[in-house]
Amino acid sequence: MYQSIGAQPKSTNWGLVTSVVANVALVGAIGVVALSQSHADPALESAIRTAPVVAPMVHMAPRAFQGKSFRMNNRAVIRPNAEESLGFKGYIPYPDTTGASLTPLPAKQDPSPYSAELRATAKAIVADGKGILACDESTKTIGKRLEQIGVPNEESYRRAWRELLFRTPNMNEAISSAILYEETLFQNAADGTPFVDIMKANNVIPGIKVDTGVRATFMDGETITEGIDGLAERAQKYYKQGARFAKWRGVLRIDPNGAPSMEAIEGNARALAQYGKICQMNGLVPIIEPEVLMDGAHGIEVQRWVTEKVQAATMKALSDVNIEWEGMLLKPNMILPGTDSGKTASPEEVAENTVEGLMRTLPAAVPGITFLSGGQSEEEATRNLNAMNKMSPNAPWKLSFSFGRALQASVLKAWDGKEENVENAQKLFYALSKANGDASLGKFEGEHPATTGSLYEKNYVY
């Protein structure tokens, strides 16, 4: 609520009284609603937490939570400013509704010096019938993949695997771009040709993962993504090497102990926003990835509700730093039932819940959405994307893909670390890419080329 500004102390005092009365009434109303819904779905109830009366500090008493006392890490007080506790600067704290202080509107800023290039790159990444190959697995994670086929985690094998992908004939018919790990961005093929040059020759835009991983914080099991320190300098280095877009993954989870906390949502949203702004000012299109994991026993309605809250908080944070919407892309999770719920959803249900949620949160100015596969099987991810484009052909943004495991699992199995299998593995990669390219147009039909099943990994990390 806004207080009156000017030399009218009486009006200001009345505004303050009105604000307090209104907040008290709001809390009372929330309490009535909560009592009237005491027999609601326990999973949905567990995802909803009461709104605080004022922004700066809220004293929370333990509350009943599925028969147990609920408290976040035995803390009774939410920190007053998430950005202060996380070391972030330059953000607008939520308005102080007590009237004790007023927060000024952020000043209008000049656009990035790369603004025109950012817009062109973002559009090119989500060109009709094309999407992103996400091959930005860390050295540790790609090692786990190679181990599955009995191949050691050595630089030569990591190089051979990525070279197989990048040299696939005609891959640019369905792959517009690829997210790389830092090692790969500066790596050369066996014949000495830089991978970046191979990609550019095939009309594939190089991108780079820029976050440095996560650290535990807030409630048990919750994390915040790190990598802001030195990001501007790294972004300049990556741009010089040929990268034109970047990725940063914020990870949130749903569980019956109350996660995600508002602090985790807010902290990750602001980290994503700060990363996005730094990248744009240094020539890289930021892919904003606020992922709500599908781990858990909750239903699809809870996954949707939490995802909408996460996306809304992320858009607010991006607005606060004056992001250029036309020069960014969103990489969200699809809306699915929790993996432990025992429930499944048809592609049409997934499409309806996913797109409707995005309609409520994402500005139409953003050129495209590049969905993550999030542990779905290769076929499931394709069919869900296809349903979205069939059911929402007039969506304000392109609905495309940024798949990692859902583009590589079958191919890795076909390669098996052997030179003689490269050609067949590349044919399979092309077929998987085309299947998803067709799905991004709502035109996928027939048998799916995948040879693997579920790719789900609990608490997945890159």
Side-chain angles (χ1 to χ4, degrees):
M1 301 178 186
Y2 296 95
Q3 309 304 323
S4 57
I5 301 174
Q8 297 177 327
K10 290 184 179 180
S11 299
T12 301
N13 289 338
W14 276 112
L16 175 59
V17 171
T18 303
S19 175
V20 173
V21 171
N23 277 306
V24 171
L26 175 61
V27 172
I30 291 171
V32 170
V33 173
L35 288 172
S36 68
Q37 294 182 343
S38 60
H39 299 293
D41 181 358
L44 185 57
E45 179 184 348
S46 71
I48 303 175
R49 49 173 38 74
T50 305
V53 179
V54 294
M57 186 173 290
V58 181
H59 295 275
M60 298 179 66
R63 65 183 174 104
F65 193 89
Q66 294 191 352
K68 297 180 180 180
S69 178
F70 171 81
R71 192 187 292 268
M72 295 193 301
N73 273 356
N74 295 319
R75 293 199 312 272
V77 179
I78 292 182
R79 284 192 286 270
N81 290 303
E83 70 276 14
E84 179 179 330
S85 65
L86 296 167
F88 295 161
K89 299 184 184 303
Y91 288 96
I92 310 167
Y94 283 110
D96 177 1
T97 56
T98 65
S101 64
L102 294 172
T103 303
L105 190 69
K108 189 176 185 302
Q109 297 178 358
D110 291 333
S112 164
Y114 299 90
S115 184
E117 182 182 354
L118 293 171
R119 294 177 182 222
T121 299
K123 287 183 178 180
I125 290 172
V126 290
D128 289 348
K130 296 186 180 184
I132 303 172
L133 164 65
C135 55
D136 57 327
E137 300 91 349
S138 67
T139 300
K140 181 179 179 180
T141 300
I142 192 63
K144 293 178 181 178
R145 303 279 182 272
L146 295 175
E147 183 180 348
Q148 294 172 359
I149 59 171
V151 171
N153 186 12
E154 298 174 357
E155 189 275 340
S156 59
Y157 283 102
R158 296 194 297 272
R159 185 201 66 230
W161 167 238
R162 267 71 184 255
E163 182 171 352
L164 180 157
L165 297 172
F166 302 150
R167 287 195 185 276
T168 295
N170 303 315
M171 67 176 290
N172 66 317
E173 290 181 10
I175 300 296
S176 65
S177 48
I179 311 171
L180 312 179
Y181 191 58
E182 186 174 84
E183 176 187 67
T184 316
L185 181 66
F186 292 90
Q187 204 167 29
N188 295 336
D191 63 3
T193 307
F195 278 154
V196 169
D197 290 349
I198 294 172
M199 295 171 68
K200 289 180 178 179
N202 287 332
N203 199 27
V204 173
I205 304 168
I208 179 70
K209 171 188 174 180
V210 298
D211 68 76
T212 57
V214 300
R215 65 173 169 86
T217 185
F218 310 126
M219 189 181 298
D220 289 344
E222 296 198 311
T223 61
I224 185 161
T225 306
E226 297 185 304
I228 293 296
D229 290 346
L231 177 56
E233 293 76 16
R234 288 189 290 124
Q236 293 166 14
K237 179 178 72 172
Y238 299 148
Y239 183 91
K240 184 177 180 181
Q241 180 63 12
R244 290 297 178 266
F245 70 100
K247 192 209 77 168
W248 176 292
R249 178 185 182 233
V251 189
L252 297 119
R253 64 188 181 86
I254 301 171
D255 73 22
N257 294 320
S261 68
M262 289 303 295
E263 289 173 298
I265 293 174
E266 177 74 2
N268 278 287
R270 294 192 174 208
L272 281 162
Q274 192 167 12
Y275 138 80
K277 187 64 175 181
I278 292 171
C279 283
Q280 285 191 336
M281 295 306 292
N282 289 282
L284 301 180
V285 171
I287 292 183
I288 307 296
E289 183 178 357
E291 179 179 3
V292 180
L293 298 173
M294 60 182 184
D295 304 13
H298 53 277
I300 194 171
E301 70 285 350
V302 173
Q303 184 78 17
R304 171 174 170 170
W305 189 84
V306 172
T307 298
E308 285 184 22
K309 296 300 181 187
V310 169
Q311 289 173 354
T314 303
M315 296 309 117
K316 169 63 168 62
L318 289 166
S319 176
D320 285 352
V321 300
N322 297 295
I323 203 76
E324 294 184 42
W325 301 109
E326 296 85 355
M328 62 155 277
L329 297 168
L330 182 70
K331 181 174 178 176
N333 52 283
M334 298 182 191
I335 306 301
L336 300 154
T339 52
D340 299 327
S341 67
K343 301 176 182 177
T344 59
S346 68
E348 290 72 26
E349 290 175 295
V350 172
E352 180 181 9
N353 280 281
T354 301
V355 176
E356 283 186 359
L358 288 162
M359 288 287 192
R360 297 178 177 183
T361 58
L362 184 64
V366 174
I369 301 167
T370 58
F371 289 98
L372 57 90
S373 54
Q376 300 175 73
S377 71
E378 293 164 301
E379 181 172 1
E380 184 181 14
T382 302
R383 295 196 183 281
N384 287 337
L385 178 63
N386 191 61
M388 287 184 221
N389 282 287
K390 268 193 170 182
M391 295 172 64
S392 302
N394 298 316
W397 351 260
K398 296 289 184 65
L399 302 173
S400 187
F401 61 92
S402 177
F403 292 165
R405 288 168 286 174
L407 274 173
Q408 298 181 63
S410 291
V411 183
L412 186 67
K413 181 180 175 182
W415 175 50
D416 201 32
K418 299 173 182 176
E419 179 64 28
E420 61 267 27
N421 293 337
V422 167
E423 184 178 351
N424 286 336
Q426 288 178 329
K427 289 179 179 178
L428 181 55
F429 174 56
Y430 174 81
L432 287 163
S433 300
K434 281 294 290 179
N436 287 295
D438 290 345
S440 70
L441 299 171
K443 296 181 178 180
F444 174 74
E445 296 178 347
E447 294 295 319
H448 196 277
T451 61
T452 61
S454 173
L455 303 174
Y456 170 70
E457 295 180 34
K458 189 172 184 179
N459 294 320
Y460 178 69
V461 294
Y462 288 101

